[in-house]
Amino acid sequence: MTSPSLTIDTPAGPVRATAGPRDADAVVFELSGAMRGSVHVTGTTDPHRWDQFTAVRACLGPVNAFKTTAPDEDLPRLAHSRTGYHGSLTLYRGSTDRPEVSVYPPSSAADHPPSQKTAAVLTAVLLGCAEHVAQRADLPALLEASRQRDTPGLLRFLTWSASHHQAEAVRLEREARAALPERKAAEAAWRTAARWLARSPHPVLLLMLADRPDSLTQKIRGLQWWAPYCVTAAAEEHERARRAQAEADSLRAQQRRRPRGRRPDLFGAP
């Protein structure tokens, strides 16, 4: 069984982190040694798959930093410092199935970045606590609790996201369709101006045909790339909408497949 305490070597000296009894959806570490305060570790989604609760997130302070912020006086700090810091770190499996880390940069209560040494201490402590929880026997229960906690909010966001990206795709496709007749009209105007210039040179016609801002030449050049750009961007928006909808569908399927209270069988399973 994993010990509730661990010692983390940092540039400021060793930090001892002691885990209290697991709450419903979190493990809280109390810090001593080179740091004071606490680290809050909870389950979370893979940074690249919001329907997959396979990662752990360690936050500075006694609360989940993505839900609320700890009072300034409760933020972790170096043992001989009055400055508290907030920030977080997510530990997850990468594409090669090896552990990877995503860090939300720490900052002080006044939103000032820490020194390089302090940042290294904070990151080491967050990583140590996250790795400790990732090896615990009750990790599946922690991940399941986080799924139950976060799924309603994720579903609301993903539903909005799918609708937003789909609307953007439709708008871009409309822009692409409009660009073709607009370009043809600009080309026709350019040819007309060129004929007039050949018959009767005039400075205004020269400006219309010159390669300069707001001229017909520049307008045609812009419309030549605008339509293909809109088509490509629309396809990307369709893909974002499809992915958001697929993740929302996956979360709903998990809700049906896993009644409340049932634990996932394996770390890394959907």
Side-chain angles (χ1 to χ4, degrees):
M1 181 176 178
T2 305
S3 169
S5 297
L6 65 152
T7 299
I8 305 165
D9 291 326
T10 78
V15 174
R16 186 170 180 81
T18 303
R22 180 174 63 84
D23 294 336
D25 62 354
V27 177
V28 178
F29 291 84
E30 295 299 329
L31 308 177
S32 60
M35 272 190 71
R36 297 287 188 270
S38 58
V39 168
H40 179 111
V41 182
T42 184
T44 190
T45 59
D46 183 293
H48 307 294
R49 287 290 305 273
W50 288 8
D51 59 330
Q52 303 297 309
F53 285 85
T54 57
V56 294
R57 183 173 60 234
C59 301
L60 294 169
V63 293
N64 184 343
F66 280 71
K67 293 292 184 181
T68 184
T69 302
D72 292 353
E73 62 271 15
D74 291 337
L75 291 174
R77 62 201 65 211
L78 297 186
H80 302 295
S81 173
R82 296 180 179 179
T83 303
Y85 292 93
H86 51 74
S88 66
L89 176 149
T90 300
L91 178 66
Y92 64 100
R93 287 183 175 179
S95 57
T96 60
D97 208 34
R98 299 184 63 180
E100 293 190 18
V101 172
S102 173
V103 178
Y104 187 86
S107 61
S108 71
D111 287 329
H112 296 144
S115 68
Q116 186 174 359
K117 178 181 177 180
T118 299
V121 174
L122 299 173
T123 301
V125 170
L126 286 172
L127 181 59
C129 293
E131 290 177 335
H132 186 85
V133 171
Q135 300 300 319
R136 286 172 58 123
D138 60 353
L139 175 65
L142 191 70
L143 296 173
E144 173 62 8
S146 68
R147 186 190 67 80
Q148 293 180 5
R149 178 197 65 216
D150 291 343
T151 289
L154 281 171
L155 282 175
R156 289 192 295 271
F157 170 75
L158 290 170
T159 299
W160 171 86
S161 182
S163 176
H164 170 75
H165 288 304
Q166 188 63 34
E168 276 295 291
V170 171
R171 182 187 67 79
L172 287 163
E173 288 169 341
R174 186 167 58 246
E175 291 272 353
R177 290 191 298 270
L180 180 58
E182 190 176 352
R183 191 190 77 189
K184 288 183 177 180
E187 289 172 344
W190 189 95
R191 289 192 293 269
T192 298
R195 287 196 299 269
W196 289 351
L197 182 65
R199 294 173 185 172
S200 179
H202 192 282
V204 172
L205 295 174
L206 285 172
L207 290 175
M208 292 174 64
L209 298 174
D211 188 4
R212 61 181 298 277
D214 300 325
S215 69
L216 285 172
T217 298
Q218 283 287 358
K219 183 175 182 179
I220 292 168
R221 184 171 296 162
L223 289 170
Q224 285 175 335
W225 67 261
W226 179 243
Y229 165 80
C230 287
V231 170
T232 300
E236 292 172 351
E237 291 294 329
H238 276 303
E239 175 57 24
R240 293 188 184 102
R242 182 206 64 75
R243 179 168 179 173
Q245 186 60 56
E247 291 181 345
D249 292 343
S250 173
L251 285 171
R252 292 190 182 96
Q254 291 176 54
Q255 283 183 314
R256 293 191 296 268
R257 189 165 63 244
R258 295 176 181 155
R260 291 183 66 86
R262 182 180 174 186
R263 299 180 178 183
D265 295 330
L266 294 172
F267 173 54

